[in-house]
Amino acid sequence: MPPESPQKPDLFSLTREELRRHVVAWGFSPVHTETLWHYLYYACVFSWNDMPDLPRKVRDRAEAEFTWGRLPVAVETESSDGFTRKYLLELDDRRRIETVLMRYTGRVTACISSQVGCAMGCVFCATGQMGYVRHLTAGEIVAQVRHVQQQLQLLSPTQQAPGQGRLRNVVLMGMGEPLHNYESVMQAVDILRDPNGLSLGARKITLSTVGVVPGIIRLADENRPIHLAVSLHGATQEERAALVPAARRWPLDELIGACRYFTERTGRRIFFEWTLIEGKNDTPGTAARVGSLLKGIPAQVNLIPLNPTSGYNGGPSALAAAKRFQAVLREHGLPSTVRQRRGIDIDAGCGQLAVTRQAVRTS
């Protein structure tokens, strides 16, 4: 459950229309909404004093009415590659979540969390090993994206490559299961997509699910124009359930049925994520079963060598095994990529930094 609601609403949980209604109710012109929104989400300012074009009386009223959802950095780590930075951010209730900034040629991606912990229990995932604590609010989700944009603004010009000045891609692949926290996640997505603010294109937002079938169907029925990624990891019910306990609640045949429904209803392809575990699910025979399973579904498979965790006795597949797997998928007409591994030296796998630091705090 989310934390108890504060007496004042979180400013970052409001859509622009909701904010406009507040401004009008205070007796101010709605035009001030646009100015405030610009400061919050385009300029990504740090305080009320950084809004000189917003009348003082509006600032004072907003400050009195809302909380400002700041997420202090408890721990910050930077990979030796110089392009991956991970933040352990602290919430008002002292819980901690992870956010990752990844810089690539011509683009920047933020990997954000949707929950503290996770109820899905994937055996190789550090967050799954933590267990579920609570949902994040929409404001806590949005505040992570603002944090990344603020960090980009603090980089000197010499630290930025072309195209890296503003955040353009967000993946909901951090701590938690986004479809388990559907309402808050979709509220946050609406705020992030607002064209007068962060203005993230819908196709620049990817939601990753372990396979929550009702959520996939709802996403299809609402036709939300964001990318869907489904964590597969096993090509039979038995193989998948051994790695993904949620498969016992939503069996593989139901999941594939929901995925077919999604593509038919929306006309969009699905990204299937496959964590490659050495000797476990990386053989050509397994790849052939994946090809048969996904036949007829507009799809791309993202092959991700395992990020080892202390709670799971498994290792990443070698590049040669990944290439053999990829070749078999190609024979079945399935495009695929071998995901570039980032931040291995800074516990960049989902939940790893939070688990490591929690162990330090409680030891």
Side-chain angles (χ1 to χ4, degrees), residues 63-219:
E63 185 174 9
E65 294 287 339
F66 298 126
T67 61
W68 181 291
R70 294 178 178 84
L71 302 180
V73 177
V75 180
E76 179 179 337
T77 58
E78 184 174 10
S79 175
S80 58
D81 62 21
F83 294 100
T84 305
R85 192 179 293 266
K86 189 163 193 175
Y87 308 96
L88 193 62
L89 304 177
E90 190 161 281
L91 308 173
D92 285 345
D93 61 0
R94 304 296 302 279
R95 301 290 184 179
R96 293 177 172 185
I97 56 172
E98 297 175 351
T99 301
V100 184
L101 185 163
M102 296 171 286
R103 291 190 288 152
Y104 301 88
T105 302
R107 74 184 193 278
V108 179
T109 296
C111 179
I112 63 174
S113 298
S114 57
Q115 295 176 312
V116 181
C118 183
M120 300 298 123
C122 298
V123 298
F124 52 81
C125 174
T127 308
Q129 294 158 18
M130 288 174 61
Y132 170 76
V133 179
R134 70 168 175 87
H135 293 319
L136 297 184
T137 66
E140 289 169 334
I141 296 169
V142 170
Q144 294 174 70
V145 181
R146 262 185 45 97
H147 175 79
V148 171
Q149 181 56 48
Q150 287 175 330
Q151 296 306 302
L152 290 174
Q153 291 171 187
L154 292 174
L155 292 176
S156 68
T158 58
Q159 292 176 295
Q160 294 181 7
Q164 292 186 349
R166 287 200 68 81
L167 179 64
R168 289 291 178 239
N169 299 274
V170 168
V171 292
L172 284 146
M173 296 182 181
M175 296 171 65
E177 164 55 60
L179 294 183
H180 187 202
N181 187 17
Y182 193 95
E183 299 293 345
S184 292
V185 166
M186 294 308 155
Q187 177 85 348
V189 166
D190 288 343
I191 294 168
L192 298 176
R193 288 182 56 208
D194 189 286
N196 288 2
L198 286 160
S199 190
L200 291 171
R203 303 303 172 87
K204 299 295 185 180
I205 300 174
T206 301
L207 181 152
S208 177
T209 177
V210 77
V212 178
V213 168
I216 294 172
I217 293 172
R218 182 176 176 184
L219 203 62

